[in-house]
Amino acid sequence: MLALGIEGTAHTVGVGIVDERCRILANVYDMLRPEKGGIHPREAANHHAELVVPLIAKSAGVAGIELHDLDLIAFSQGPGLGPCLRTVATAARALALSLDVPILGVNHCVAHLEIGRGVTDAKDPVLLYVSGGNTQVIAFARGRYRVFGETLDIGIGNLLDKFARECGLAFPGGPILENLALQRSRLLPLPYSVKGMDVAFSGMLTAALALRTHGASLEDLAFSIQEVAFAMLTEVTERAMAHVDKEEVLLGGGVARNRRLQEMVGRMASDRGATMFVPPGDLCIDNGAMIAWTGLEMHRAGVRMTIRGTTVDQRYRTDEVSVTWR
Ligand code: AMP
Ligand code: MG
């Protein structure tokens, strides 16, 4: 069975093709990189509209298949930016109708977890999902993926990107800050903001920018932001693992590529006799393969949707999905 998945919740439009054993036959994407300012939903949607058809063709080429070989079309139904979601949903509907194959809308956050289970040995992990717009600690309990902790304001990636942007660095800022942080080890005071199982980052952004105005170096700030923000994330992830009694932790989302975050979560895991799993970078960021794979799992479990049922949901919550395939 071959599934094609289209991702397009935010800045990245991606198309992936996977088979029933979670072999990734293709995973191609293009990310909107605004020259200045943040991501405008309409601009991102236009970007996706221009690129989605070429990317579909490219994915088939990379996989070495014809589109007629596909058995299922999946797409990211939410959460995300409305215009982007609608663009990708329209492309998915057109493709499914023209090929006369089933279509399934997939929850983007659930897909980050499922691809990790698909390509690593993780069976029942707590997912620390750290991306541009989202920051959540998710685990499976009683038939659903439940959110045990999350950001109360901006996503961790957004903190890194916004700080970088305000300091005149390019987008995405996360990897640039990671490199700058390697050059220093002086910890500046920044607010450590954990509230119960939740975290908040906007105060740290304000504080870091204020320190910058007062002459703190970019390297010291990059180092300090990483140390404090990642420690907060590691703390709530560990507490979730203890609460739900899980011995695996999985990283997902673009920030999961960060070596220092991997090091901190990895250390926490080994200290409690647990194991950390990190999917390859191309499967951590927003990508079509994770959508294809989750769609395939859903389809195998008997989930079906009519075209009418494929309306997008900007606020599609992780725990709204009935996980019948586990
Ligand atoms: P996503 O939203 O999951 O596609 O991931 C994009 C986010 O990941 C952006 O906010 C990037 O700045 C961030 N990111 C990518 N690579 C790294 C890295 N090495 N360290 C920190 N953040 C990163
Ligand atoms: Mg994502």
Side-chain angles (χ1 to χ4, degrees), residues 11-12 112 130-133 157-158 160-161 172-175 178 253-255 257-258 284-286:
H11 45 58
T12 299
H112 273 291
V130 279
S131 71
N158 204 231
L160 303 171
D161 295 341
E178 178 175 22
V255 184
R257 292 175 128 174
N258 188 287
C284 279
I285 57 170
D286 288 352

Side-chain angles (χ1 to χ4, degrees), residues 108-146:
H108 174 93
C109 307
V110 167
H112 273 291
L113 197 144
E114 286 301 335
I115 194 66
R117 290 205 314 134
V119 299
T120 73
D121 288 333
K123 300 248 158 15
D124 184 21
V126 167
L127 171 72
L128 173 58
Y129 169 35
V130 279
S131 71
N134 298 296
T135 300
Q136 295 185 333
V137 178
I138 303 170
F140 185 73
R142 289 177 289 118
R144 282 177 197 252
Y145 286 118
R146 317 247 170 208

